[in-house]
Amino acid sequence: MFEDLGVNNAEEHLAKADLVSKIASVIETRGLTQVEAARLIGLPQPKVSLLVRGIFRDFSTERLCRILNRLGVTVSMVLIEEPDWRPGMTTVSEQEQDSDDLFYGDTEQSGPAFSL
């Protein structure tokens, strides 16, 4: 979608848009005001306002992941090496499951494998 609009780094922009959409969804689902959300995630309320309105250019992917973590959302990254060495993709998908059931590599761990 963003590629069609000529946006630089369209794939990354789409991934960030998905993260921001989840942030807004969690804030709404939990019935948080922007002031409450700001306090919880450690941002000024005007920055939260920008995020929920879809303005996120100044936010890195890592920062958006930390915001999700502070909102109680576990962010899990899966790295897949393409067998024919073609360029890889960056995607964000949502999965409903307990964080204790996440599987990391060859061993199960309770909690996140790492924190951003």
Side-chain angles (χ1 to χ4, degrees), residues 46-85:
K47 293 275 188 183
V48 173
S49 177
L50 290 174
L51 279 176
V52 298
R53 290 186 290 132
I55 302 169
F56 53 87
R57 177 170 285 144
D58 295 335
F59 289 86
S60 68
T61 301
E62 292 83 9
R63 190 172 183 195
L64 295 172
C65 289
R66 284 193 307 270
I67 290 169
L68 283 165
N69 292 155
R70 290 180 185 141
L71 288 170
V73 177
T74 296
V75 178
S76 175
M77 296 183 186
V78 177
L79 306 176
I80 302 169
E81 189 171 329
E82 298 296 341
D84 57 2
W85 293 36

Side-chain angles (χ1 to χ4, degrees), residues 22 29 32 36 53 85:
K22 181 63 177 177
T29 300
L32 298 172
E36 292 168 333
R53 290 186 290 132
W85 293 36

Side-chain angles (χ1 to χ4, degrees), residues 11-109:
E11 197 173 272
E12 178 184 1
H13 198 78
L14 179 58
K16 286 170 59 173
D18 288 339
L19 294 171
V20 169
S21 175
K22 181 63 177 177
I23 290 167
S25 171
V26 169
I27 290 170
E28 181 180 343
T29 300
R30 295 189 180 166
L32 298 172
T33 66
Q34 288 184 7
V35 171
E36 292 168 333
R39 197 172 303 123
L40 185 62
I41 61 182
L43 289 177
Q45 181 275 326
K47 293 275 188 183
V48 173
S49 177
L50 290 174
L51 279 176
V52 298
R53 290 186 290 132
I55 302 169
F56 53 87
R57 177 170 285 144
D58 295 335
F59 289 86
S60 68
T61 301
E62 292 83 9
R63 190 172 183 195
L64 295 172
C65 289
R66 284 193 307 270
I67 290 169
L68 283 165
N69 292 155
R70 290 180 185 141
L71 288 170
V73 177
T74 296
V75 178
S76 175
M77 296 183 186
V78 177
L79 306 176
I80 302 169
E81 189 171 329
E82 298 296 341
D84 57 2
W85 293 36
R86 69 178 180 265
M89 302 181 313
T90 302
T91 61
V92 174
S93 61
E94 188 171 349
Q95 182 175 0
E96 295 291 327
Q97 68 185 43
D98 293 333
S99 62
D100 291 340
D101 294 336
L102 291 176
F103 184 78
Y104 299 95
D106 294 333
T107 62
E108 263 191 74
Q109 300 179 2

